Amino acid sequence: MGRGSKTIDLEALPHLPGCYLFKDEEGIVLYVGKAKDLKKRVSSYFQKRDHDPKTASLMQFARGLDFIVTNTEVEAFLLENTLIKKHWPRYNIMLKDSKRYACIHLTGEKFPRIRIARKNTGEGEFFGPFVSARERDYIFEVVRKTFQLRTCRKMPSRACLRYHIGACSGPCISSVSVEEYGEKVKKAISVLKGNIRELIESMETEMKEMAAKQMFEQAMELRDEIAALEYLQEKQNMERQKKYDEDILNYIVRDNNVYLMLFKVYKGTLEDKQDFVFAFGEDFLEEFLVQYYSENDPPEELIVPEPLDESLVEFLAHVKGKKVKVAVPKQGDKKELLDLVLKNVEIGFFGDRKKLEALQSKLSLPKIPNVIECFDISHLSGTATVGSMVQFRGGRPDKHNYRRFKIESVEGIDDFASIAEVVRRRYSRLLEDKHEMPDLIIIDGGKGQLSSAFQELRKLRVKVPIISIAKREEEIYVPGLKSPLPIKKDEKASLFVQEIRDEAHRFAINYNRLLRQKALIQK
């Protein structure tokens, strides 16, 4: 185990693999890294002068160092991920939005309901997790519709639309008995466990018996259920005939940001794609792969644009439990896949860049507004007043950096004072923590809200461009001008501002609704 100190003592570092932790003057962990050779890796931070912006900022605030020695570099990879999850250092790439694959859940209620569950906790039975969201949703819909299972959280006192269109058996109005519903649930469980063929054979026998007894309506219902299950079985069999799973990754580095896209190919079929934007730093690809595949199962083959370190490939194999093939193709089908991902990065991300460039041009900003923060206030007749702040990075929502505010200093309806409070709290905190400021601030409202926010920025001596957008005509205002800017509401720049404002509004309303629900529960 290493030692922590107020100064960074390079001589204390060994020539061994392990993890190092840069800390600020208060001992808060700023960054967790790993190395084959701790002394060489950490020393390089102080020997190099042309750091990327993120690393330069890290070194500006680093005041202490701790380290942990491991036996191998693979152990260092594993330890690094654990330490990042424990400390959430601000200079590490954060992939908080990376979610485990969801399950299908049949609840343990008297009349079980079927739902998608992110966590397999609670009563009832869980099936999955499903690696393919598309396949999971397809199976969910087939099972739900075929067996007419309820999805409502609380059974209503009257039949809903789903009952009237034949999508639910209607336990809420006693249209189905506990025993009959239980039989439907048993069949659903059989399908979700993969016993489709056995269930189909059983249902075919039952259908013939119904027809022999001239129970034609029930026989027709069984016929339709069997048809749905046969199609599901056929689809699953087709998927299993494909060879193996692949992940294809490519990226573009631009303006000190990494724009990265990951295509997930399951058994030869593209099932999902994920995209990420984060600050460029040394070894960003390695850092990304370690964090991502610590949360997600590695594929049998990973296709990347550049070779990976052998210890990283060994780490992936350790996580998966067997060998992971890494391909860096120069020609052929795999190279075409890699180029396809790159093309999607260009189209997907830099269509967003055009919005940023349009906004920069219309607002005469000194640089591309890569980081934009937008504020909104929400209340219900003057009660449960809340503020929201959303952040867009690289033209896309960065939900890791969304913030919610309970209004503390304002009573009744006063949007001007409320917006002043949240702006003051947000940027005084950024100043205190020495975090980066956004490139543009947007206020939901007219000249009054803009003036209130601008005055708070002046008091804090924060010099960030700020605008507001008024809802009715989507007029954009800037401080010091009585009239709105000559930007039409259907222009690209205005539409982008509206998109950001709408997201802030949605986020504020959701928080307002949550607080009101809590208040009702407490009464």
Side-chain angles (χ1 to χ4, degrees), residues 48 149 201 203 303 460 468 488:
K48 192 173 180 180
L149 301 180
E201 290 173 357
M203 290 171 69
I303 300 173
L460 294 170
S468 72
K488 296 178 182 178

Side-chain angles (χ1 to χ4, degrees), residues 78-118:
L78 295 166
L79 176 61
E80 178 193 35
N81 182 61
T82 301
L83 292 171
I84 288 171
K85 287 182 177 177
K86 178 181 178 182
H87 298 289
W88 291 109
R90 76 190 230 209
Y91 286 96
N92 283 91
I93 297 170
M94 294 301 181
L95 303 181
K96 281 190 172 181
D97 284 341
S98 169
K99 292 183 172 65
R100 295 185 181 276
Y101 297 116
C103 301
I104 292 176
H105 180 204
L106 280 168
T107 64
E109 298 165 82
K110 183 179 178 181
F111 290 98
R113 65 188 174 99
I114 189 169
R115 60 186 286 266
I116 301 293
R118 288 284 172 196

Side-chain angles (χ1 to χ4, degrees), residues 453-506:
F454 182 59
Q455 291 304 319
E456 292 301 322
L457 293 180
R458 289 186 65 181
K459 290 175 188 175
L460 294 170
R461 297 183 180 179
V462 170
K463 296 181 179 180
V464 174
I466 182 170
I467 64 172
S468 72
I469 177 167
K471 286 187 179 71
R472 182 172 297 175
E473 297 297 329
E474 309 294 10
E475 294 174 328
I476 295 176
Y477 292 89
V478 296
L481 292 180
K482 292 182 180 180
S483 301
L485 294 177
I487 304 175
K488 296 178 182 178
K489 62 182 179 181
D490 58 352
E491 289 186 52
K492 189 184 291 289
S494 178
L495 290 172
F496 184 36
V497 174
Q498 293 170 44
E499 176 190 346
I500 298 170
R501 186 273 318 280
D502 290 346
E503 175 66 0
H505 189 57
R506 179 200 64 79

Side-chain angles (χ1 to χ4, degrees), residues 387-508:
S388 74
M389 188 215 80
V390 299
Q391 185 182 98
F392 274 54
R393 184 177 293 269
R396 296 190 173 199
D398 182 1
K399 294 188 178 181
H400 167 62
N401 284 312
Y402 282 19
R403 297 292 182 268
R404 305 188 298 194
F405 304 86
K406 273 188 183 178
I407 301 302
E408 299 170 346
S409 63
V410 182
E411 293 185 6
I413 302 174
D414 190 338
D415 284 357
F416 298 167
S418 297
I419 206 77
E421 179 185 321
V422 296
V423 167
R424 177 172 64 252
R425 286 166 60 184
R426 169 62 177 171
Y427 297 113
S428 59
R429 181 63 182 269
L430 287 191
L431 288 170
E432 182 182 336
D433 292 344
K434 299 177 181 177
H435 285 185
E436 67 171 350
M437 290 290 171
D439 301 315
L440 176 66
I441 298 168
I442 300 173
I443 304 297
D444 180 18
K447 290 185 287 185
Q449 286 89 342
L450 175 63
S451 177
S452 297
F454 182 59
Q455 291 304 319
E456 292 301 322
L457 293 180
R458 289 186 65 181
K459 290 175 188 175
L460 294 170
R461 297 183 180 179
V462 170
K463 296 181 179 180
V464 174
I466 182 170
I467 64 172
S468 72
I469 177 167
K471 286 187 179 71
R472 182 172 297 175
E473 297 297 329
E474 309 294 10
E475 294 174 328
I476 295 176
Y477 292 89
V478 296
L481 292 180
K482 292 182 180 180
S483 301
L485 294 177
I487 304 175
K488 296 178 182 178
K489 62 182 179 181
D490 58 352
E491 289 186 52
K492 189 184 291 289
S494 178
L495 290 172
F496 184 36
V497 174
Q498 293 170 44
E499 176 190 346
I500 298 170
R501 186 273 318 280
D502 290 346
E503 175 66 0
H505 189 57
R506 179 200 64 79
F507 190 53

Side-chain angles (χ1 to χ4, degrees), residues 160-424:
C160 66
L161 178 63
R162 288 194 60 243
Y163 170 75
H164 291 297
I165 63 174
C168 178
S169 53
C172 57
I173 57 168
S174 302
S175 181
V176 60
S177 69
V178 174
E179 292 75 19
E180 290 170 332
Y181 194 89
E183 286 301 314
K184 292 176 179 290
V185 171
K186 285 181 183 177
K187 290 178 180 177
I189 289 171
S190 184
V191 171
L192 292 168
K193 285 183 175 179
N195 303 321
I196 301 177
R197 187 65 256 164
E198 294 91 328
L199 179 61
I200 289 174
E201 290 173 357
S202 171
M203 290 171 69
E204 283 176 339
T205 301
E206 187 180 356
M207 180 181 68
K208 290 175 183 176
E209 290 174 356
M210 293 282 187
K213 295 176 182 178
Q214 296 188 344
M215 299 170 67
F216 298 118
E217 188 175 338
Q218 293 91 330
M220 287 175 66
E221 287 180 5
L222 281 169
R223 181 200 62 190
D224 293 341
E225 291 176 6
I226 290 168
L229 295 177
E230 284 178 336
Y231 181 74
L232 174 59
Q233 184 184 42
E234 181 183 344
K235 182 177 184 296
Q236 289 183 327
N237 287 341
M238 281 173 53
E239 294 298 327
R240 291 192 187 102
Q241 289 168 10
K242 306 289 176 66
K243 292 181 180 179
Y244 52 85
D245 301 339
E246 299 166 301
D247 282 3
I248 305 120
L249 177 153
N250 217 330
Y251 60 83
I252 291 173
V253 177
R254 193 172 293 178
D255 297 330
N256 290 312
N257 279 313
V258 179
Y259 301 86
L260 183 148
M261 197 167 284
L262 183 71
F263 275 28
K264 305 190 78 65
V265 177
Y266 297 109
K267 306 293 185 282
T269 303
L270 175 63
E271 292 282 3
D272 191 19
K273 69 180 179 69
Q274 296 171 278
D275 47 66
F276 303 86
V277 183
F278 48 86
F280 172 79
E282 296 173 29
D283 301 323
F284 73 86
L285 181 58
E286 181 181 282
E287 188 178 349
F288 172 85
L289 290 170
V290 170
Q291 288 202 46
Y292 183 82
Y293 288 117
S294 295
E295 292 288 334
N296 300 276
D297 186 39
E300 293 181 49
E301 182 174 45
L302 176 63
I303 300 173
V304 288
E306 61 187 68
L308 302 182
D309 189 273
E310 286 184 11
S311 58
L312 177 54
V313 178
E314 190 179 342
F315 165 78
L316 295 173
H318 178 93
V319 174
K320 189 166 184 65
K322 62 180 182 180
K323 184 179 178 180
V324 174
K325 182 181 178 182
V326 176
V328 187
K330 301 301 179 186
Q331 58 185 9
D333 293 343
K334 292 178 183 178
K335 179 62 166 64
E336 288 178 8
L337 284 171
L338 203 56
D339 291 343
L340 177 64
V341 177
L342 188 64
K343 184 176 181 180
N344 276 268
V345 174
E346 283 279 9
I347 295 169
F349 284 111
F350 299 106
D352 293 322
R353 185 177 176 84
K354 290 178 181 178
K355 297 189 294 188
L356 294 171
E357 290 171 348
L359 195 56
Q360 180 191 20
S361 174
K362 287 294 181 179
L363 299 180
S364 300
L365 297 174
K367 63 177 182 177
I368 289 280
N370 183 57
V371 179
I372 301 172
E373 295 185 345
C374 180
F375 296 85
D376 185 31
I377 300 296
S378 177
H379 56 74
L380 179 67
S381 301
T383 63
T385 304
V386 299
S388 74
M389 188 215 80
V390 299
Q391 185 182 98
F392 274 54
R393 184 177 293 269
R396 296 190 173 199
D398 182 1
K399 294 188 178 181
H400 167 62
N401 284 312
Y402 282 19
R403 297 292 182 268
R404 305 188 298 194
F405 304 86
K406 273 188 183 178
I407 301 302
E408 299 170 346
S409 63
V410 182
E411 293 185 6
I413 302 174
D414 190 338
D415 284 357
F416 298 167
S418 297
I419 206 77
E421 179 185 321
V422 296
V423 167
R424 177 172 64 252

